[in-house]
Amino acid sequence: NAVKVMFIKRQGRHHYLIELNANVEITLKSRKDYLTGDNSDIIPTDTIKNTVHALAKIKGVNTIEQFSLDLCHHFLTSFNHVLRAKVYMEEAPWKRLNKNGVEHAHAFIYSPEACRFCDVEQNLGGTPVVHSGVKDMKVLKTTQSGFEGFLRDRFTTLQETKDRVFCTTVYSRWRYNKVQDVDFDACSNPPLQLTKSILKTEKINPKRKPSVEEIEIVMPNQHYFTIDMTKMGLNNKDEVFLPLDSPSGNITGTVCRKQRARL
Amino acid sequence: MQAEWEELARRNWLEESDSQQKPIPPSVSPGYYFSTTNPFRDQPNAFIEGQEKARQGDLNAAVLLLEAAILQDPNDAEAWQMLGTTQAENENEQAAIASLQRCLELRPNNLQALMALAVSFTNSGLLREACDALRRWIRHNHRYRHLVQDSRGPTSPLQDVLLLFQEAALLNVDGVDPDLQTGLGVLYNLSSEFDKAVEAFSAALSVRPQDYLLWNRLGATLANGNRSQEAVEAYSRALELQPGFIRSRYNLGISCINLGAHREAVSNFLTALNQQRRSQSCSQQQMSANIWAALRIAISMMDRPELFQAANMGDLDLLMAAFQVGDL
């Protein structure tokens, strides 16, 4: 777990970098290490770590999804006793320094607006299943959000409102229906576009991205409560708020493409 | 040292530890993943036995036997073709495509392989490649090759090939050419003209009413055209003719989902997965990833979170018990 690698590609003066944090899990055919203490089949975790480093050199790192696919492929084809490989990878949010719209050739700034991640799972003889996602993307809007018309019972004290502050930390994960010729960057960047789609509706994503099969979104409702200042003789007109991120309501939803029948 | 690493990273390494089996020659198709433990590896008459197993509906055993035949003779185009069509029936599209492409490298004019490849490309959403395969089919078909001209003006590749096939169909005044009609059916699926595709496959079926592949193609066309109830009837017909037809059972499950019959859908997917697992002579898990994905979706619509968890973990036994799916 937590194998960290940074890869730099130099094209003349222009440098590209990608820094990642990978978890690799492989499942072996034999159990003799557990049953008899025979280690002859074991691929040491140290070897796995070294393999991640070495494959970054041999294959290069273009996107975390492609590198994850390369890792799975390596472990399944270099040995004949590995049954399954699972890779989870997070990408460090390095952004090129930007001054007046001009991008710097080799300077970057760490911009944790959102964390891009992926996980790839592949069984021996099977096709890999790729999920990508973004998480820890905290967004907030100060108006045009309301909540009314909900069920009221004897335990309900919440007041209806037409206008409130809405804040959430978005977690979204989607699955691809194919792994070749997929532009992984186009689906995961930029996070801001995703924000806009989510705040409107989940329907937008599937039409624009035909290689996305299924998308799951989880959004906790992180509350900001107007502080009642009447006891201090002040009229707080929704100007001063108390941030209260827990407890929070959690909203989840999964949308998937209608399955196509196969000729 | 670096060269060794790169070779390691590239090769599909199959040597057994007892080193009695030969390693795979590097000229064998790089896209096809052979099973690592094949009990039929040195079986004589592997191809003929593979054909027989496929006929009986034991698709997994057929795949292993055909792989064995190919390992014994990597240039056996017929074996590559049969492996391709069997993998497609077994709901393993990537493997089907790799096999059929290898067959066509050896025999570029193999009409059955070209048609099967066009179907697989269509299923994978690769429109251009599907049209290309169908164009090659016409070009190599002695009855219709004279229709092929090089430049047809500014039309799309799909419209180009469609026009070719339509012209070819007009030549058949006396009867129906079921293979041509299959090509038309595939093209109309690509152009989303599902009603016309239904007509084409129905015409093909009038000549070959026992062809379970055609019944499945008809069903899939109906399903993709939102005629799910009729699709179910077509799939049932295909499965009557060939109960081991994994792809058709998968399709049937999908139509059940579309009709809101989630329990039936799950039952069908579980049956298919069990057939695949049971047939496998070795311990490896070789079930179709597509079917698992569809199963997860069906279960997710049933509001049974504990079963959804089991589906995520791949616990087939638990699910079979929960839905009372026994051995066929």
Side-chain angles (χ1 to χ4, degrees), chain A residues 151-247:
Chain A
L151 194 86
R152 306 197 77 90
D153 71 354
R154 67 184 191 276
F155 300 122
T156 308
T157 57
L158 186 66
Q159 297 303 310
E160 296 201 350
T161 175
K162 282 187 164 52
D163 195 23
R164 60 170 183 177
V165 170
F166 178 69
C167 171
T168 185
T169 304
V170 178
Y171 168 89
S172 178
R173 180 172 174 258
W174 54 92
R175 178 166 61 88
Y176 295 96
N177 57 15
K178 56 176 181 163
V179 294
Q180 283 157 332
D181 303 319
V182 178
D183 185 350
F184 293 115
D185 279 330
C187 285
S188 303
N189 290 333
L192 277 159
Q193 284 212 12
L194 186 61
T195 318
K196 287 182 200 151
S197 346
I198 292 168
L199 290 174
K200 280 183 196 162
T201 162
E202 282 191 58
K203 282 185 207 157
I204 293 183
N205 215 310
K207 285 203 182 100
R208 287 231 194 93
K209 302 279 180 264
S211 45
V212 173
E213 188 70 29
E214 181 184 273
I215 173 167
E216 176 200 1
I217 298 186
V218 178
M219 304 204 287
N221 191 348
Q222 284 155 338
H223 303 292
Y224 286 81
F225 293 114
T226 307
I227 302 174
D228 180 1
M229 299 182 177
T230 51
K231 291 195 175 118
M232 300 189 280
L234 293 167
N235 182 11
N236 182 6
K237 287 186 266 197
D238 288 336
E239 295 157 282
V240 183
F241 293 85
L242 183 71
L244 202 72
D245 61 356
S246 66

Side-chain angles (χ1 to χ4, degrees), chain A residues 50-109:
Chain A
N50 289 342
T51 308
V52 176
H53 297 163
L55 279 177
K57 158 70 189 162
I58 292 172
K59 292 264 175 184
V61 182
N62 193 12
T63 59
I64 49 172
E65 289 83 359
Q66 189 55 54
F67 190 47
S68 301
L69 283 166
D70 292 337
L71 279 169
C72 283
H73 178 82
H74 168 83
F75 284 110
L76 288 171
T77 59
S78 306
F79 307 93
N80 60 7
H81 64 296
V82 175
L83 286 181
R84 186 180 68 183
K86 280 165 78 164
V87 177
Y88 170 79
M89 229 180 255
E90 285 182 2
E91 182 179 336
W94 288 107
K95 291 258 175 327
R96 210 174 275 284
L97 268 183
N98 192 313
K99 186 172 167 181
N100 301 326
V102 178
E103 291 196 327
H104 200 282
H106 57 257
F108 301 82
I109 181 165

Side-chain angles (χ1 to χ4, degrees), chain A residues 29 58 73-74 77-78 80 124-125 127 175 214 256 258-263, chain B residues 8 11 13 15 33 91 93-94 119 123 189 216 224 226 235 247 251 290 294:
Chain A
K29 202 186 278 186
I58 292 172
H73 178 82
H74 168 83
T77 59
S78 306
N80 60 7
L124 187 61
T127 44
R175 178 166 61 88
E214 181 184 273
C256 67
K258 187 169 153 188
Q259 296 279 72
R260 270 190 84 88
R262 295 177 160 248
L263 294 169
Chain B
L8 206 76
R11 208 158 23 119
W13 194 0
E15 283 178 297
Y33 290 108
E91 195 42 51
E93 204 82 79
Q94 297 295 339
V119 169
N123 285 335
N189 260 282
N216 178 61
N224 291 332
N226 289 321
Y235 296 139
R247 166 157 284 177
N251 279 340
N290 276 355

Side-chain angles (χ1 to χ4, degrees), chain B residues 176 181 185 195-209 214-215 217-218 222 227:
Chain B
V176 166
Q181 290 298 323
D195 292 336
K196 290 189 185 162
V198 167
E199 276 174 32
F201 285 123
S202 301
L205 275 165
S206 68
V207 176
R208 289 200 205 133
L214 279 174
W215 279 109
R217 288 176 183 155
L218 175 65
L222 286 162
R227 289 158 72 172

Side-chain angles (χ1 to χ4, degrees), chain B:
Chain B
M1 183 70 181
Q2 171 127 347
E4 278 176 33
W5 264 103
E6 285 172 10
E7 180 58 28
L8 206 76
R10 225 178 14 228
R11 208 158 23 119
N12 179 11
W13 194 0
L14 286 196
E15 283 178 297
E16 286 277 302
S17 49
D18 63 9
S19 67
Q20 271 182 1
Q21 304 192 352
K22 300 191 293 279
I24 302 301
S27 60
V28 170
S29 175
Y32 188 87
Y33 290 108
F34 286 86
S35 313
T36 47
T37 35
N38 191 340
F40 306 116
R41 179 72 165 84
D42 294 311
Q43 183 116 341
N45 301 318
F47 176 69
I48 297 190
E49 296 210 16
Q51 268 186 318
E52 180 55 27
K53 284 288 179 188
R55 203 190 55 76
Q56 290 168 4
D58 187 350
L59 298 179
N60 274 56
V63 164
L64 286 172
L65 283 158
L66 292 166
E67 285 186 6
I70 287 168
L71 289 172
Q72 291 165 26
D73 176 10
N75 292 325
D76 186 346
E78 216 186 336
W80 277 114
Q81 179 198 319
M82 179 118 231
L83 180 59
T85 52
T86 307
Q87 285 286 36
E89 286 177 45
N90 204 20
E91 195 42 51
N92 257 325
E93 204 82 79
Q94 297 295 339
I97 290 178
S99 311
L100 293 166
Q101 283 177 322
R102 183 75 192 118
C103 167
L104 287 165
E105 277 173 34
L106 294 164
R107 296 262 173 82
N109 57 355
N110 185 326
L111 293 178
Q112 284 154 306
L114 283 167
M115 186 58 73
L117 189 59
V119 169
S120 285
F121 280 141
T122 303
N123 285 335
S124 307
L126 298 168
L127 184 141
R128 198 160 258 277
E129 288 80 349
C131 290
D132 191 61
L134 286 169
R135 198 183 177 79
R136 282 163 71 185
W137 188 90
I138 286 254
R139 196 165 253 171
H140 288 297
N141 191 318
H142 66 270
R143 276 172 81 173
Y144 310 116
R145 58 158 58 110
H146 62 280
L147 293 169
V148 179
Q149 298 163 17
D150 275 328
S151 57
R152 278 178 173 268
T155 49
S156 72
L158 176 57
Q159 288 307 319
D160 256 356
V161 187
L162 196 44
L163 209 59
L164 266 178
F165 270 78
Q166 283 165 342
E167 282 175 9
L170 289 172
L171 291 175
N172 292 327
V173 280
D174 289 334
V176 166
D177 177 352
D179 296 312
L180 186 72
Q181 290 298 323
T182 301
L184 269 172
V186 172
L187 288 164
Y188 284 130
N189 260 282
L190 286 168
S191 66
S192 297
E193 293 173 277
F194 296 110
D195 292 336
K196 290 189 185 162
V198 167
E199 276 174 32
F201 285 123
S202 301
L205 275 165
S206 68
V207 176
R208 289 200 205 133
Q210 306 295 312
D211 186 338
Y212 56 82
L213 292 179
L214 279 174
W215 279 109
N216 178 61
R217 288 176 183 155
L218 175 65
T221 305
L222 286 162
N224 291 332
N226 289 321
R227 289 158 72 172
S228 292
Q229 192 57 55
E230 292 166 79
V232 168
E233 287 161 20
Y235 296 139
S236 304
R237 201 69 192 89
L239 287 165
E240 266 173 50
L241 290 163
Q242 178 49 282
F245 192 1
I246 299 283
R247 166 157 284 177
S248 207
R249 197 169 293 278
Y250 164 77
N251 279 340
L252 179 57
I254 291 180
S255 281
C256 286
I257 294 180
N258 292 338
L259 290 167
H262 303 124
R263 221 192 148 76
E264 281 73 15
V266 170
S267 197
N268 275 302
F269 295 134
L270 290 174
T271 303
L273 288 168
N274 187 38
Q275 279 175 316
Q276 290 191 318
R277 180 178 69 166
R278 201 182 46 189
S279 141
Q280 192 68 298
S281 311
C282 55
S283 59
Q284 214 169 287
Q285 301 273 27
Q286 272 267 39
M287 293 177 273
S288 167
N290 276 355
I291 303 182
W292 274 108
L295 175 64
R296 278 195 291 270
I297 290 176
I299 292 183
S300 73
M301 292 168 148
M302 291 179 74
D303 198 26
R304 300 279 298 273
E306 77 283 9
L307 295 178
F308 187 69
Q309 185 60 16
N312 273 334
M313 308 262 73
D315 192 340
L316 187 57
D317 290 315
L318 191 154
L319 291 166
M320 281 177 64
F323 287 95
Q324 289 155 350
V325 174
D327 282 329
L328 264 186

